[in-house]
Amino acid sequence: MNKRLQKLEEILKENDLDAVALNPGPSFLYMTGMDFHLMERPVLALFARGADLTVVHPGFEGGKLEGLSYPVRSFPYGDDPSHWGEAFREGFKFLAGKKCRIGVEPNQMRVLEESYLKAALPEAEIVLAGRQLAALRLHKDAEEQKKMRQAALIAQEALIKALAQIRPGWTEKQIAGELVAQLIKAGSEGASFNPIVAVSENAANPHAQPGERQLREGDLLLFDFGAGFGGYFSDITRVFSCGQLSPQMEEVAGLVCRANQAAREGAKPGMPAGAVDDLARNLIKAGGYGDYFTHRTGHGLGMEIHEEPYIFAGNPLILEEGMTFTIEPGIYLPGKFGVRIEDDVVVTATGLQSLTDLPREVRPLEDFWK
């Protein structure tokens, strides 16, 4: 924890920030070790240069601040909302009257907490610092990588168990329910997100929601899902067949699999993130399906399903050891079917190491029936 606080102090100095304000979310948990959640009561942690961490929180959750390995200033409040502002003013009065710059995460900061922050420090400048704060979690250490690998193993085990149960006639919703049940049984801390389970034409929508479409002979079945372990997530996509594939299905599935392989095997430290996208996209373009690869090749992964680094065309961010992200090229033919193959990878000294290792080719469901 001290190393993380030291790194934050460096980020504050480098970016001319006097403080950072975090409300409950991944960065809050990463920096404090305290697992608060968003609710109708405001919670805010303020990291100011040269000062101890300040946390404003509901009084009944004070136990979460006990036994911490670093000093913290606690400002609890009761149930009456008319008194909440007083706790914020008291907690942040050491900055009152100062024209300080306070960074916030635009994807996490709520209007609720920000309004109390502004009322307590009206002369402060609230600035967006999402990219600067993303640097805190951009490189995963060995322990973080270990948790992500375990999250991947849990997800893979759950999928194999679910595939053994699935039969023609099941709806997408029924299949998704079976997968979620198997994730819990395998040790996941819940599903990392609501799984995408899509049959044939529905899989042509990259973010399809499970519906009433039944699985039939000749269909493709796409799973996009993940597991959670120790606060870290996996995110995997695999595709299976129900019976015989059409020639076009076989062509597309093979092309996506090769694009996935090209990005996984061709990426290395020192390469721009955008070049990884090129590795997958150029192969799909050469295969004649470039117009049907409609999203970026990947996104960062860790305590969030989507975080830095983002693997999109033209991104100049240089890949470095410890960065973790997905490789997930796809081809989507409207009204017909979609195929996406997604793996979780970490940048090593020589290339990418895949945290996921389920076979990537489209396999028939019958292979999993006993």
Side-chain angles (χ1 to χ4, degrees):
M1 183 61 66
N2 288 337
K3 290 183 178 180
R4 296 178 180 181
L5 291 172
Q6 290 171 5
K7 186 175 181 180
L8 178 57
E9 186 80 16
E10 293 171 2
I11 289 174
L12 293 176
K13 292 178 181 178
E14 291 170 359
N15 293 277
D16 192 27
L17 293 172
D18 298 288
V20 162
L22 301 175
N23 60 335
S27 292
F28 186 108
L29 176 60
Y30 182 84
M31 290 305 306
T32 69
M34 294 182 283
D35 191 10
F36 285 91
H37 66 278
L38 292 175
M39 53 181 169
E40 76 280 7
R41 303 176 178 92
V43 176
L44 198 65
L46 187 77
F47 298 85
R49 290 168 62 175
D52 293 337
L53 169 65
T54 299
V55 181
V56 180
H57 60 90
F60 69 90
E61 293 199 285
K64 293 182 177 181
L65 283 73
E66 296 176 359
L68 297 175
S69 61
Y70 56 90
V72 58
R73 301 168 66 244
S74 171
F75 291 87
Y77 58 79
D79 290 332
D80 186 348
S82 66
H83 297 160
W84 296 353
E86 182 180 346
F88 279 82
R89 288 190 297 272
E90 186 66 21
F92 303 153
K93 69 179 182 181
F94 69 99
L95 292 177
K98 298 179 180 180
K99 294 184 177 181
C100 54
R101 299 179 76 243
I102 301 177
V104 299
E105 293 179 299
N107 290 344
Q108 295 290 337
M109 179 57 67
R110 292 194 304 180
V111 173
L112 177 63
E113 280 84 1
E114 187 176 18
S115 64
Y116 280 106
L117 177 61
K118 287 181 175 179
L121 300 173
E123 296 185 18
E125 179 186 4
I126 309 301
V127 300
L128 302 183
R131 184 167 297 278
Q132 294 88 337
L133 291 171
L136 287 168
R137 297 187 283 120
L138 187 57
H139 302 83
K140 310 305 190 291
D141 62 26
E143 185 61 28
E144 291 175 292
Q145 293 177 32
K146 183 178 178 180
K147 292 176 179 178
M148 293 180 68
R149 171 60 175 163
Q150 186 61 31
L153 292 174
I154 290 171
Q156 294 180 163
E157 177 186 343
L159 179 60
I160 292 172
K161 294 288 181 62
L163 291 170
Q165 304 301 319
I166 296 166
R167 295 294 186 274
W170 283 36
T171 67
E172 293 168 335
K173 285 184 177 179
Q174 288 174 317
I175 296 170
E178 178 66 26
L179 177 58
V180 171
Q182 294 296 344
L183 283 166
I184 301 301
K185 291 179 182 178
S188 175
E189 298 167 353
S192 56
F193 56 94
N194 291 332
I196 296 171
V197 175
V199 174
S200 288
E201 70 276 6
N202 290 341
N205 175 2
H207 281 176
Q209 295 296 312
E212 299 299 336
R213 171 65 155 85
Q214 289 183 316
L215 180 66
R216 300 189 293 260
E217 184 78 12
D219 280 332
L220 281 178
L221 175 59
L222 181 147
F223 294 88
D224 186 341
F225 70 107
F229 182 80
Y232 290 78
F233 296 114
S234 58
D235 186 5
I236 306 171
T237 304
R238 291 292 187 269
V239 181
F240 301 88
S241 66
C242 183
Q244 187 73 26
L245 289 177
S246 71
Q248 189 177 36
M249 286 177 174
E250 289 186 349
E251 177 190 16
V252 168
L255 185 56
V256 173
C257 196
R258 292 194 298 276
N260 172 286
Q261 181 179 10
R264 283 187 295 105
E265 295 183 354
K268 56 186 178 182
M271 174 184 288
V276 184
D277 184 272
D278 293 341
L279 289 169
R281 195 170 304 277
N282 289 344
L283 195 149
I284 290 177
K285 285 181 179 179
Y289 288 92
D291 291 342
Y292 301 99
F293 181 10
T294 55
H295 55 73
R296 64 197 174 201
T297 292
H299 55 81
L301 183 68
M303 297 182 77
E304 294 179 271
I305 293 299
H306 286 188
E307 60 182 48
E308 295 279 359
Y310 293 102
I311 312 302
F312 61 88
N315 186 355
L317 179 71
I318 300 300
L319 298 184
E320 297 176 342
E321 286 187 62
M323 292 183 178
T324 52
F325 53 89
T326 66
I327 298 289
E328 50 179 304
I331 294 174
Y332 310 94
L333 304 181
K336 294 183 177 181
F337 61 88
V339 175
R340 179 169 63 255
I341 305 296
E342 178 181 21
D343 285 287
D344 305 340
V345 299
V346 57
V347 181
T348 70
T350 57
L352 300 185
Q353 176 187 349
S354 186
L355 302 173
T356 45
D357 55 13
L358 275 180
R360 298 170 179 90
E361 68 274 9
V362 175
R363 300 169 63 189
L365 288 172
E366 291 89 339
D367 285 0
F368 300 88
W369 298 344
K370 297 178 181 179

